[in-house]
Amino acid sequence: MRIAIAGLLHETNTFADGLTPYAAFELKGANPGLLKDREILQTLRGVSMCTGGHIAVAEKFGVELVPLIWTMAQPSGTVRHEAYIRLRTELLDKLRQALPVHGVLLELHGAMVTDQCEDVEGDLLQQVRSLVGPRVPVIANLDLHANITSRMAREATTLIGYDTYPHVDFIERGEEAANLMAAILKGAVKPVVAYRQIDLMIGPPRQCTLQGPMADAFKLVHELERQAGIITITLAGGFPFADIRDAGVAVVVTANADEALARRTADELADYIWSRRQDFRVSLTPVREAIDYALRAKHGPVLLADGSDNPGGGAPCDGTVMLAELVRANVPSAVVAIIADPEAVARAHQVGAGHQATLVVGGKTDARHGSSLTLTGEVRWVGEKEYVNKGPMMTGMRVSMGRAAVFVVNNVEIILAENRFQPFDCEALRCLGIEPRERLLVGLKSAVHFRAGYQTMAAKIFELDTPGIHSPNLSLYTYRRLRRPIYPLDEIPASHCPIRA
Ligand SMILES: [Zn+2]
């Protein structure tokens, strides 16, 4: 038995400046770069990614894996179409050489966009399908933030998305995909798929599965999955920072040889999501209000989530609005993780640890995340840093900060890094000797993923109302290609059917 495996992951924020080049997929920073052939097995075996799950199941059953390519670029702006075509060609060439294979397992994101293609995963699945033919099962794992299109659902045998946000079930979903592949190849099941798209977009904070309407929705997903005849259900919250026709919520129900059951179940879930649409609206807290709360708090850490500048959703991670307020308020013990600013890092390295310095910090990528701050303080540490995630998300993945520095202004420790990455794991602070439990206030460039590492220690969490291209206030964006009407941007006329196959 030979199964091809591959991965191509990018969450494309079409509101970000600039195009994402091929080099972004090769970059070894928060991600392992562009892996080929056996490197994929060596790097991802035991790592909490879906491919880690594919490998674990295959090796348990003694299945031969044919690794093709695997890459995940940091979320960023629209991908250069040539970059995608080059990656696609590398993947398909290796697949062609590997033929015949019995099945294909893919790890995709589901929200990748190029300057010529709104539905990259739909295109890739179609290409893979045309190479292997209609009878070879092709199963793709997807992110919970996938913008799933009808083409993706049609071309794949089935799609299996994460059930969690923070994403802590990569391995389980990868194992689920690989186990399903095994069951299909044994002839034990015959998957049929029903797809429903909902005219609804949800800001990331309300997609969190730990609480609120999304927790309720996944409770229903799991109940429906226990029905006889249902194989698996994917509910994708979608990625609203993509100005494409198909952005938003979708469901995919996979049943065993029972199309009517798949359709009925997809309708039930889609109707439920639509009925809860008002509960998915996001409310945010002004920075000053959150800081005032922290100043009155007896103990910390009070967590401030600067989700609008979340690098995990393509934002620059050098926004200064939260930082400026923290410095101004002179909070007695605060840390900001991280400001991605290679220039400020270089300057801190010139000055050296233990010295006073005036640095121009942040606000260098664009004008939408606050302007640069000229700050005087102490360079407490400089160096190059790498850590391994120890929390529940992407456990075991190595993250390189590149060159970094800790710059202390008033009582605010600012972690400056050359690389841009989301500090969802506490190791981002601890590797620098900063214990978040001992700080009154922790400011994080993260919308929801930080909850994986920090939620249990938090005295209080605030989701900040800051400007940026990952702000969940969706009325701030100008959409040109998105289908309309869509909730919450538009009034939905009674005559409009908000759910379609
Ligand atoms: Zn995601």
Side-chain angles (χ1 to χ4, degrees):
M1 198 75 88
R2 280 158 60 78
I3 306 291
I5 58 168
L8 177 56
L9 297 96
H10 188 255
E11 186 175 70
T12 305
N13 187 320
T14 67
F15 298 103
D17 286 352
L19 292 175
T20 298
Y22 183 84
F25 292 87
E26 295 178 304
L27 191 73
K28 294 182 204 287
N31 311 308
L34 176 54
L35 306 173
K36 294 180 183 177
D37 309 317
R38 313 294 305 171
E39 260 183 333
I40 297 172
L41 306 181
Q42 287 152 12
T43 308
L44 296 175
R45 182 180 286 116
V47 169
S48 157
M49 293 298 300
C50 293
T51 302
H54 301 164
I55 296 168
V57 170
E59 293 185 343
K60 190 173 87 186
F61 288 122
V63 170
E64 184 193 350
L65 285 178
V66 187
L68 310 174
I69 68 164
W70 194 99
T71 178
M72 173 171 65
Q74 268 299 94
S76 53
T78 302
V79 176
R80 257 183 213 292
H81 194 65
E82 304 91 270
Y84 163 59
I85 294 301
R86 195 170 152 194
L87 291 164
R88 187 185 80 181
T89 305
E90 289 174 311
L91 191 157
L92 294 175
D93 283 352
K94 285 184 187 292
L95 179 57
R96 198 175 291 110
Q97 286 157 23
L99 293 177
V101 295
H102 297 92
V104 182
L105 285 169
L106 298 172
E107 176 165 22
L108 308 175
H109 183 286
M112 182 165 167
V113 178
T114 78
D115 49 344
Q116 290 173 44
C117 179
E118 287 194 358
D119 178 18
V120 168
E121 289 83 359
D123 174 75
L124 183 65
L125 285 164
Q126 193 168 14
Q127 298 278 339
V128 167
R129 172 60 71 207
S130 68
L131 251 188
V132 299
R135 274 186 292 278
V136 171
V138 177
I139 303 178
N141 281 115
L142 297 177
D143 197 280
L144 182 124
H145 299 107
N147 290 320
I148 303 179
T149 64
S150 58
R151 177 161 64 156
M152 288 159 67
R154 193 172 60 239
E155 298 295 343
T157 305
T158 189
L159 304 167
I160 298 181
Y162 314 152
D163 291 349
T164 58
Y165 182 34
H167 307 325
V168 292
D169 62 339
F170 296 99
I171 287 255
E172 289 93 327
R173 296 289 77 75
E175 288 178 348
E176 185 184 3
N179 282 319
L180 177 56
M181 176 65 74
I184 296 168
L185 293 174
K186 266 191 276 177
V189 291
K190 187 181 177 307
V192 291
V193 162
Y195 163 83
R196 295 289 182 274
Q197 181 179 61
I198 308 170
D199 291 335
L200 170 67
M201 290 206 298
I202 307 174
R206 259 343 126 255
Q207 293 193 33
C208 177
T209 56
L210 298 172
Q211 61 203 14
M214 207 56 160
D216 299 341
F218 271 97
K219 200 166 152 248
L220 176 59
V221 165
H222 297 313
E223 273 170 34
L224 294 171
E225 278 179 330
R226 282 193 292 272
Q227 281 183 94
I230 297 292
I231 295 173
T232 186
I233 298 176
T234 288
L235 161 58
F239 187 64
F241 312 113
D243 184 13
I244 57 170
R245 188 191 65 192
D246 292 308
V249 184
V251 306
V252 177
V253 173
T254 308
N256 187 10
D258 188 340
E259 284 179 30
L261 174 65
R263 282 199 296 269
R264 210 163 55 235
T265 308
D267 283 331
E268 182 180 346
L269 180 58
D271 286 343
Y272 174 78
I273 302 285
W274 181 250
S275 76
R276 295 290 306 269
R277 61 191 175 281
Q278 286 174 337
D279 302 328
F280 284 110
R281 296 190 77 125
V282 176
S283 66
L284 301 168
T285 306
V287 184
R288 190 62 232 194
E289 202 178 291
I291 292 175
D292 286 345
Y293 179 95
L295 289 171
R296 288 194 308 269
K298 291 197 172 55
H299 61 93
V302 174
L303 301 187
L304 273 54
D306 188 5
S308 300
D309 188 27
N310 171 22
C317 199
D318 72 346
T320 55
V321 175
M322 171 178 72
L323 176 59
E325 290 285 353
L326 283 173
V327 169
R328 198 173 302 139
N330 201 6
V331 178
S333 150
V335 55
V336 172
I338 60 164
I339 304 284
D341 186 339
E343 272 176 38
V345 169
R347 181 77 193 116
H349 277 245
Q350 275 170 5
V351 171
H355 297 282
Q356 290 286 306
T358 298
L359 304 183
V360 179
V361 174
K364 292 167 187 169
T365 307
D366 64 30
R368 291 173 290 179
H369 300 80
S371 46
S372 296
L373 304 176
T374 302
L375 300 173
T376 300
E378 184 205 346
V379 177
R380 186 164 293 166
W381 176 89
V382 292
E384 204 161 327
K385 209 66 180 178
E386 220 181 59
Y387 63 86
V388 174
N389 291 330
K390 291 185 181 160
M393 186 174 159
M394 290 191 186
T395 319
M397 185 77 101
R398 188 170 290 280
V399 177
S400 162
M401 301 172 94
R403 294 205 302 170
V406 178
F407 182 48
V408 186
V409 180
N410 295 340
N411 292 304
V412 182
E413 297 161 297
I414 307 164
I415 300 175
L416 299 169
E418 222 169 26
N419 292 342
R420 190 175 64 92
F421 61 93
Q422 186 178 184
F424 56 76
D425 196 287
C426 296
E427 282 303 300
L429 281 68
R430 287 181 178 147
C431 75
L432 299 167
I434 298 172
E435 174 49 54
R437 289 175 193 278
E438 293 168 4
R439 298 297 179 270
L440 177 61
L441 189 152
V442 179
L444 295 165
K445 299 288 186 177
S446 177
V448 171
H449 283 323
F450 72 90
R451 292 177 186 270
Y454 302 81
Q455 175 143 318
T456 52
M457 72 171 75
K460 178 86 177 165
I461 293 174
F462 290 100
E463 290 161 341
L464 298 183
D465 187 5
T466 47
I469 59 168
H470 200 267
S471 166
N473 181 357
L474 303 180
S475 65
L476 297 173
Y477 303 84
T478 306
Y479 291 95
R480 294 193 172 85
R481 309 174 78 103
L482 180 67
R483 70 189 179 285
R484 307 300 279 262
I486 194 164
Y487 191 86
L489 297 179
D490 303 310
E491 290 284 336
I492 309 294
S495 59
H496 178 76
C497 175
I499 297 164
R500 78 186 60 76

